[in-house]
Amino acid sequence: MNILDENVPKNQRQLLERWGVPIRQIGFNVGRRGLQDDEIIPFLLQLRRATFFTRDDDFYERRLCHAKYCLVYLAVDKNEAGMFVRRLLRHPECDTQAKRIGAVIRVSSAGISLWRLHAEQQASVAWD
């Protein structure tokens, strides 16, 4: 399940939906409106293999790696969020849930940085 944080604009969710990307958004069609940052991880742990997309850099921390979810920090302009969500979901390193789960990922125009569960070092991947 792909989930957008409330901090991703509505028009970006709608763009992803038009592109056929299966997506839900906190406070719109999953979770409750106003879910606080400290409530996100417990919420994700209740779901099955969720990928959570946010514009909040507090979620890009190695200690947040977990085998039950993936966190994606979108370090891009709010009006580019949809494009980068789709771009990540199509990237060969992250194009399946199995490849994403257990990772904390930072997406930017420069590329992808990620921590994987049990990894000693952060990895970097270029856009294709």
Side-chain angles (χ1 to χ4, degrees):
M1 175 184 310
N2 299 313
I3 302 173
L4 295 175
D5 196 351
E6 282 182 299
N7 64 20
V8 175
K10 174 183 172 182
N11 69 328
Q12 296 300 295
R13 183 194 76 238
Q14 293 169 334
L15 182 63
L16 288 163
E17 291 170 341
R18 281 195 305 272
W19 286 335
V21 175
I23 201 84
R24 295 183 182 185
Q25 188 164 29
I26 299 283
F28 177 71
N29 52 9
V30 69
R32 66 173 170 72
R33 175 166 254 176
L35 202 62
Q36 298 299 305
D37 286 356
D38 63 344
E39 298 173 300
I40 295 291
I41 300 300
F43 174 71
L44 294 175
L45 289 170
Q46 295 173 22
L47 303 175
R48 188 172 179 273
R49 299 169 49 134
T51 299
F52 179 69
F53 295 89
T54 183
R55 296 184 56 245
D56 185 345
D57 65 351
D58 290 344
F59 285 98
Y60 188 65
E61 290 192 30
R62 177 184 181 186
R63 68 177 181 80
L64 295 176
C65 287
H66 196 283
K68 292 190 87 177
Y69 59 73
C70 170
L71 299 175
V72 180
Y73 162 49
L74 299 166
V76 298
D77 183 86
K78 66 182 180 181
N79 294 312
E80 296 179 318
M83 179 184 70
F84 279 95
V85 166
R86 182 170 77 158
R87 199 170 175 188
L88 177 75
L89 293 174
R90 290 179 168 189
H91 193 281
E93 291 289 321
C94 300
D95 59 358
T96 67
Q97 279 184 333
K99 291 178 183 178
R100 292 189 305 272
I101 295 302
V104 175
I105 302 170
R106 180 181 184 274
V107 171
S108 71
S109 58
I112 303 166
S113 301
L114 64 149
W115 285 104
R116 293 213 183 264
L117 194 60
H118 308 300
E120 294 296 321
Q121 294 185 352
Q122 175 179 273
S124 294
V125 181
W127 292 114
D128 290 343

